[in-house]
Amino acid sequence: MPALELFSFAACPYAQRTRMVLAEKALDFDLVEIDLHNRPAWFREVSPYGKVPVLRHAGRIVYESAIINQYLDEAFPAQPLMPADPWGRAVARIWMDYCDSRYLPAVQRLMAGRGDAARRAGAQEALREVLRFMEHEGLRKLGDGPYWLGPAPTLVDFHYLPFFERFAVYQELAGADWPADCTRLRGWYEAAGQRPSFIGTRHTLDFHLTQQRQLEARRAAAAATARPAAT
Ligand SMILES: N[C@@H](CCC(=O)N[C@@H](CS)C(=O)NCC(=O)O)C(=O)O
């Protein structure tokens, strides 16, 4: 069994977080691609939630991208990707949590509500507020960049990057926009987006648009199947 295996799915932004961290740390690993639309039966043994990413290290399982990445940073401490001091690490966790508990729900509300003009406008404004919070409470107070927490990349950057890569999808399909005052956030994306680990794992806008269309078609088909047949 190889020392490190990552169970992944090419289009998954959470798995991308971990692929970037493995690349940043120059770790050799086996990439096991899982077809999430046709999961092998053995996958349940590996992934208790049935999701990717999952890391297997020396036969032991770790899951949830944020936890995998912190595990990798502790297990392979060369090229550290977390601040050295406890407060710095707490700040890093606050911003990773902000991504999952505030930014992603705001994006999901916008994508889900975009067909209704009033819901779309409300969700666009809510997303702008979330971006402004990142700008003013985050980047502007945390130093001079160019990375989220300062001059060196940390897990925070790799936590957000996949979901800013997809911002063009939210713009194209749901009219998301960058507030004009979010200049540091834009600068962060331009700088962090130059990391080879990101360039090596990102996809084109066309790829993401196709994924989104396929996802929505599958959801619509599942909803139609779940609806009781009209009599
Ligand atoms: N909170 C999880 C989210 C992982 C996740 O939602 N992965 C998706 C693919 S992008 C998945 O495996 N979905 C399959 C399912 O929900 O059944 C993490 O950060 O790792």
Side-chain angles (χ1 to χ4, degrees), residues 12-14 17 36 39 50-53 64-66:
C12 177
Y14 303 96
R17 287 173 171 170
L36 285 178
R39 286 166 236 210
K51 294 184 184 222
V52 296
E64 286 295 314
S65 59

Side-chain angles (χ1 to χ4, degrees), residues 144-160:
D144 296 329
Y147 295 105
W148 204 280
L149 297 184
T154 63
L155 294 185
V156 181
D157 301 293
F158 305 110
H159 207 76
Y160 279 95

